[in-house]
Amino acid sequence: MWVLVGIYFVMGLFFGYVVPYLIFKTGGGPELEGVPVEQILNEALPHNLVPSVVGGFPLFGGAIALIIGALVASSEYGWGTLKTILVQRPRRVEVLAGKLLAIALVTLAITVVFFLLSAGASWTIAVAENRAVSWPGIVELLQGVGAGWLILGMWSLFGMTLGILFRSTALAIGLGLVWALVIESLISGFANLLEVLATIQQWLPGVNAGALAASLGARAQDQAGGVPGVTTVADGPEATALLIAYVAGMALLSTIVLRRQDIA
């Protein structure tokens, strides 16, 4: 799990700050036609911290969070330790509540630490290029942290629910990543051709995670220089409400399934 978190931090900083800075220094390439390199640098500076960080949560951060959720929930089945825990007489609901609390704390810690690391990277770029260091306000920062926590928490619970349903870490991770990276992309890709797919798209968890990021300033994937996974299908309050509903629904479903499972 900690290897996954470390990979997320390294790759997030690399693609969020190192790559844009290198593009700025080298002048970019033909594939950046229509996107000024000055704009790319501007998005990596401190005043743009919130959209720059939050834009990476829906897709790449979500995939990492999904794997973490699956590991937290379904590893117990493979190890045979869930039975051992329950023999010691904690109720199943209590065990699940402990896992939910662990996921909530881990995803919050990941969100806060990544904001701090990104702040350091953006400050370094600003100083290196003699740019003004202007940080976002406290309200904007809190909104960014809250949005990131909600997005990562939703994907973690998605992985946890799959892990409990199928009692398999590998299957939970495989199905979760196929859904997040393939199925949602296919539905979104054909949404302009079929009205029913456009309607379904509005209810997808990943699409609404991307919409929440877009509401905080992240550039949508269909725009020049856009971030993969960021969409404009819904507005901020609507996306937030739906993601909260997903979190509550998956927690409830996990509770019902775990209470009825034969662990023997």
Side-chain angles (χ1 to χ4, degrees):
M1 182 180 299
W2 299 118
V3 171
L4 285 172
V5 174
I7 290 174
Y8 175 60
F9 288 159
V10 172
M11 298 304 291
L13 292 175
F14 179 75
F15 287 105
Y17 294 95
V18 176
V19 169
Y21 185 64
L22 292 177
I23 291 174
F24 170 76
K25 298 299 287 186
T26 60
E31 57 276 356
L32 289 174
E33 184 177 355
V35 182
V37 291
E38 185 67 27
Q39 174 183 317
I40 294 176
L41 177 68
N42 183 65
E43 292 179 353
L45 294 178
H47 70 272
N48 206 51
L49 178 65
V50 171
S52 178
V53 174
V54 174
F57 286 137
L59 190 62
F60 182 59
I64 297 296
L66 187 150
I67 297 173
I68 290 174
L71 289 173
V72 168
S74 54
S75 294
E76 304 278 10
Y77 295 100
W79 297 333
T81 48
L82 184 57
K83 186 192 308 183
T84 304
I85 293 172
L86 295 176
V87 166
Q88 299 176 41
R89 298 189 178 181
R91 292 186 295 178
R92 298 188 184 198
V93 175
E94 294 173 343
V95 173
L96 183 62
K99 293 183 179 294
L100 289 172
L101 178 60
I103 287 176
L105 293 176
V106 167
T107 51
L108 177 59
I110 292 173
T111 304
V112 172
V113 172
F114 190 60
F115 261 94
L116 293 174
L117 293 174
S118 298
S122 64
W123 177 84
T124 301
I125 292 175
V127 172
E129 293 300 316
N130 294 317
R131 303 301 175 97
V133 178
S134 175
W135 298 103
I138 184 64
V139 173
E140 185 180 355
L141 283 172
L142 290 176
Q143 288 177 336
V145 171
W149 188 23
L150 178 58
I151 293 170
L152 295 185
M154 183 276 296
W155 280 122
S156 292
L157 261 69
F158 190 82
M160 184 194 75
T161 303
L162 290 176
I164 292 174
L165 283 173
F166 297 106
R167 297 194 279 192
S168 167
T169 304
L171 188 57
I173 292 174
L175 290 176
L177 292 179
V178 167
W179 173 269
L181 303 179
V182 179
I183 296 178
E184 287 207 10
S185 296
L186 288 174
I187 293 175
S188 298
F190 288 101
N192 293 331
L193 303 177
L194 289 174
E195 184 176 348
V196 63
L197 292 181
T199 302
I200 293 174
Q201 180 191 26
Q202 297 177 354
W203 296 91
L204 296 177
V207 169
N208 280 275
L212 178 56
S215 71
L216 293 177
R219 192 176 299 276
Q221 61 184 6
D222 57 355
Q223 299 175 345
V227 181
V230 177
T231 68
T232 55
V233 171
D235 57 24
E238 179 183 344
T240 301
L242 190 58
L243 292 180
I244 292 174
Y246 269 115
V247 168
M250 288 185 288
L252 178 61
L253 177 60
S254 297
T255 302
I256 294 172
V257 172
L258 185 60
R259 291 186 64 182
R260 296 175 178 271
Q261 272 182 342
D262 181 9
I263 307 298

